[in-house]
Structure formats: C-alpha cells, structure tokens
C-alpha cells in the first residue's frame, strides 16, 4: 500500500482530526492547511485547524473564520502537519501532534526530519500547496473554487509569484484550470503578495537603510529589532518579504535578514544561483530549501551576523 493510500485510510477511520502547521505561518502554511481543511469537510469529516496567530492579509481565505487558537481535545485520532520541516517548528502546538494516535506529515522541505508515522514529502515541489493538489487529486476530492483559492495562495507565496526556479509546468496547468473555473487569479495575487501593510512598508524602509554588502557585493545583510517592530506597531507577518530586497540587487548571491524575537535571532536566508542556503542554515541549527532557508540563533544580532558571515565565506 502506498503512503497516500495509508493516509487516506487513516483519514477515513479517524473520528477526530487536527490540521497543524509551523508558527509564524506564511501563505503556503495557511493556504495548504485551509485547503486540506476544506477538502476534509467536503468528504464529510469535521476536522479542526489550529493556528494561534497568522497575518491578517490571509483573512479572505475560505475557512479562516473557523481557525482555532487551541482545542479542548487533547488526543486526536489523527494529526496532519503541513509545510513543516521539524516537530520543533510546530512549537507551542506540537502537543496536539505528539499526543495524536496517528501522525502524518505532508511537506516539501528536503530537511524534513520524517517526524510522522506517515510522511509524504516531495522536496521538488515549489510549495507544499502544490503537493496537496496532487494528494487531493489522488484522493479523488474535487478541487472546488474554495480549495483552489487556498492552494493558489500557497503557491503564489512560496514561488514569489511564479518566479522562483522550482515552478513546474504543473504549477501553470493548475493556474490555467483555476482561470477556467472563474477564479480571479490576479486579485488573489495582489492580495497575498503585492499589497503591503503600512507596518511592513515601514519595516522594509528601516531594513533597506541598514542594508550592508559583504564579499564584494555578493552578500547582502540587514536586520530589524524588537524596538523597530514596536515603533511601527508590527503585527504577525509584517516582516515577510524584507529578505527579498537584498536578493534582488544586481551581483547579490545571498541575502540575509535577521529578525530579533523573544526567542533570539530569527534568520532568513535567500540565494539566487549557486549557494545552498539550506546547508548553511543546517549548520546554524535550522534548515529549509536550497534557495530559501532559515534558523533561530540564541545570541545577539552582532554575534549572529559574525557567525553567519564566517559560515558563508567558505561557500562564496
Ligand atoms: P523564512 O525565511 O521564510 O522564515 O523561511 C524560509 C524557509 O526555511 C521556509 O521554508 C522555512 O520553513 C525554513 N526555515 C526557516 N526557519 C527554519 C528553522 O529554524 N528550521 C528549519 N528546519 N527550517 C526553517
Ligand atoms: Mn512552504
């Protein structure tokens, strides 16, 4: 029996199901989670989706008003984690996963630690949402407008608007099908990617002013502090996209962005061509994809900067 057959069997058997994703969820995490939520409802299941905090730009996605912050159910029959590479990244809600009778991980990170009983991992997929598309088609669940909208939000987010190298012909076939179904792709694109909150714009302005170059202009580095976020009344997700500014400058191979949080320095790293930032971030205790990765470091911004630049020197 294939992994997907086993997962479908577990879904059919389960009386209680919970859908989870990583903390500070991006559009792929929320889009994939909600697509799965809507799909399971469509086949007569009554799942919970637990996401304590998420950016309000995603509030238009179908199903967001049913997202729970926590649950009274302590032991679910089935827990499904999406777009999450490690159990640690489930963070405050990992207990729902760990305590569930059966655990499933659906993900596209090559650094996924296979923390489920069943793991359906496709590192080549440009977004976890695109894997879900394959999964739902295999399960013969119809991709309705609602489900399609959620999947599209995930794909647009994780491909930077269809521009990263991981995009496949399936990505565009799916978008073509959505257009045929009458979904306003342009509008969703603008909402999830193009439109910036005021706080996001202000943080970007601060980070752009601070941006420095290293390694003959091949490395761009910037950061924001907790004080910066307080000053602009930052909300969940308002730091998203800042790391892209450095990456888009001519000659830059690696862009580094550090966000100071309660837990330490949250590092975001992006590369354009030859540097595998997932390998670099693994050495820093994190992980991710070849061209987009991250880590959390327990030190000051200065210490993190020095350590990262030292690691990068050997691969530039
Ligand atoms: P971002 O920079 O957008 O936070 O993350 C980029 C990619 O790296 C995402 O796919 C994310 O899941 C992954 N990533 C970010 N931080 C960590 C981390 O601390 N550990 C692991 N394993 N992956 C991370
Ligand atoms: Mn993703």
């Amino acid at each position: 029996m294939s992994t997907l057959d086993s997962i479908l069997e577990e879904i059919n058997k389960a009386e209680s199901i919970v859908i989870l994703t990583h903390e500070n969820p991006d559009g792929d995490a929320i889009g994939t989670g909600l697509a799965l939520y809507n799909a399971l409802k469509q086949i007569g299941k009554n799942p919970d989706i637990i996401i304590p905090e998420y950016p309000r730009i995603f509030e238009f996605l179908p199903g967001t008003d049913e997202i729970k912050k926590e649950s009274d159910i302590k032991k679910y029959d089935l827990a499904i984690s999406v777009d999450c590479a490690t159990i640690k990244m489930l963070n405050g809600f990992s207990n729902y996963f760990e305590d569930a009778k059966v655990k499933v991980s659906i993900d596209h990170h090559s650094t996924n630690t296979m923390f489920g009983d069943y793991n359906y991992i496709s590192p080549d997929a440009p977004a976890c949402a695109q894997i879900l598309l394959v999964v739902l088609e295999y399960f013969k669940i119809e991709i309705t407008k609602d489900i399609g909208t959620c999947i599209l939000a995930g794909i647009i987010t994780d491909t930077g608007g269809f521009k990263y190298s991981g995009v496949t012909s399936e990505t565009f076939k799916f978008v073509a099908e959505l257009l045929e179904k009458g979904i306003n792709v342009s509008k969703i694109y603008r909402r999830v990617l193009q439109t910036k909150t005021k706080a996001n714009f202000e943080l970007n302005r601060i980070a752009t002013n601070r941006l420095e170059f290293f390694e003959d202009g091949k490395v761009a580095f910037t950061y924001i502090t907790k004080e910066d976020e307080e000053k602009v009344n930052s909300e969940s997700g308002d730091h998203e996209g800042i790391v892209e500014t450095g990456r888009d400058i001519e000659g830059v191979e690696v862009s580094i962005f550090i966000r100071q949080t309660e837990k330490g320095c949250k590092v975001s790293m992006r590369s354009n061509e030859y540097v595998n930032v997932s390998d670099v971030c693994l050495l820093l205790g994190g992980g991710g994809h070849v061209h987009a990765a991250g880590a959390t470091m327990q030190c000051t911004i200065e210490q993190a900067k020095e350590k990262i630049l030292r690691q990068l020197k050997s691969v530039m």
Side-chain angles (χ1 to χ4, degrees):
M1 202 152 84
S2 76
T3 305
L4 283 185
D5 288 324
S6 305
I7 293 173
L8 182 59
E9 192 176 274
E10 295 298 343
I11 288 171
N12 285 331
K13 268 199 311 206
E15 304 226 326
S16 58
I17 302 175
V18 64
I19 299 164
L20 304 163
T21 188
H22 57 86
E23 67 166 352
N24 287 317
D26 57 12
D28 192 27
I30 297 160
T32 309
L34 285 171
L36 181 60
Y37 176 78
N38 288 307
L40 294 184
K41 287 198 96 161
Q42 203 163 292
I43 57 166
K45 292 286 163 181
N46 188 23
D48 283 340
I49 176 164
I50 304 178
I51 307 178
E53 208 187 354
Y54 60 90
R56 63 188 156 79
I57 55 164
F58 298 114
E59 273 168 4
F60 76 99
L61 290 176
T64 43
D65 44 2
E66 286 158 55
I67 290 177
K68 293 189 172 180
K69 288 192 187 300
E70 57 189 353
S71 168
D72 295 334
I73 302 175
K74 294 286 170 262
K75 195 173 177 70
Y76 282 91
D77 290 338
L78 175 64
I80 307 176
S81 158
V82 296
D83 194 40
C84 192
T86 66
I87 192 135
K88 206 173 120 202
M89 291 178 76
L90 286 174
N91 219 299
F93 19 111
S94 59
N95 57 310
Y96 296 114
F97 192 86
E98 276 164 316
D99 296 344
K101 286 185 203 148
V102 179
K103 308 163 183 63
V104 168
S105 165
I106 298 174
D107 186 30
H108 70 132
H109 294 92
S110 57
T111 53
N112 187 293
T113 56
M114 304 284 176
F115 54 96
D117 301 319
Y118 300 101
N119 301 284
Y120 191 72
I121 316 298
S122 306
D124 291 338
C128 191
Q130 192 167 315
I131 302 177
L132 196 70
L133 188 65
V134 175
V135 171
L136 296 184
E137 279 170 357
Y138 190 84
F139 290 174
K140 299 195 170 48
I141 297 179
E142 190 202 343
I143 309 295
T144 57
K145 264 189 172 185
D146 279 359
I147 296 173
T149 299
C150 296
I151 293 178
L152 182 65
I155 292 179
I156 288 174
T157 307
D158 260 27
T159 61
F162 311 116
K163 72 174 185 278
Y164 298 155
S165 53
V167 168
T168 64
S169 60
E170 280 72 32
T171 316
F172 290 107
K173 280 180 201 148
F174 167 66
V175 178
E177 280 166 25
L178 291 185
L179 284 167
E180 278 161 18
K181 283 183 187 168
I183 292 185
N184 191 334
V185 174
S186 161
K187 190 172 166 190
I188 296 169
Y189 189 108
R190 242 180 307 117
R191 279 179 106 155
V192 303
L193 207 65
Q194 218 63 22
T195 312
K196 312 255 175 275
T197 61
K198 184 87 190 320
N200 177 263
F201 173 78
E202 292 298 345
L203 288 180
N204 228 318
R205 194 203 305 260
I206 295 168
T208 302
N209 273 329
R210 267 183 204 144
L211 194 132
E212 289 178 273
F213 295 101
F214 296 92
E215 303 292 328
D216 295 326
K218 289 190 293 241
V219 175
F221 172 89
T222 192
Y223 65 93
I224 53 170
T225 63
K226 275 188 281 196
E227 289 79 49
D228 295 329
E229 294 210 40
E230 279 159 25
K231 206 167 72 191
V232 305
N233 290 319
S234 171
E235 290 178 19
S236 170
D238 280 336
H239 62 282
E240 291 289 344
I242 295 177
V243 68
E244 301 295 331
T245 305
R247 182 198 225 178
D248 289 341
I249 301 166
E250 188 177 24
V252 169
E253 169 60 17
V254 177
S255 174
I256 305 155
F257 165 61
I258 294 180
R259 177 177 175 231
Q260 193 183 43
T261 69
E262 302 300 327
K263 289 182 195 144
C265 289
K266 176 73 194 67
V267 182
S268 280
M269 225 180 270
R270 301 290 185 268
S271 68
N272 281 319
E273 284 174 34
Y274 55 90
V275 173
N276 184 335
V277 286
S278 171
D279 284 352
V280 178
C281 286
L282 268 176
L283 292 171
L284 302 169
H289 310 286
V290 176
H291 296 299
T296 300
M297 298 170 74
Q298 314 292 341
C299 56
T300 65
I301 294 175
E302 266 313 305
Q303 288 164 334
K305 175 183 172 185
E306 196 202 329
K307 195 167 172 194
I308 296 165
L309 290 174
R310 209 173 335 118
Q311 292 284 3
L312 273 176
K313 234 181 194 355
S314 58
V315 289
M316 296 308 301

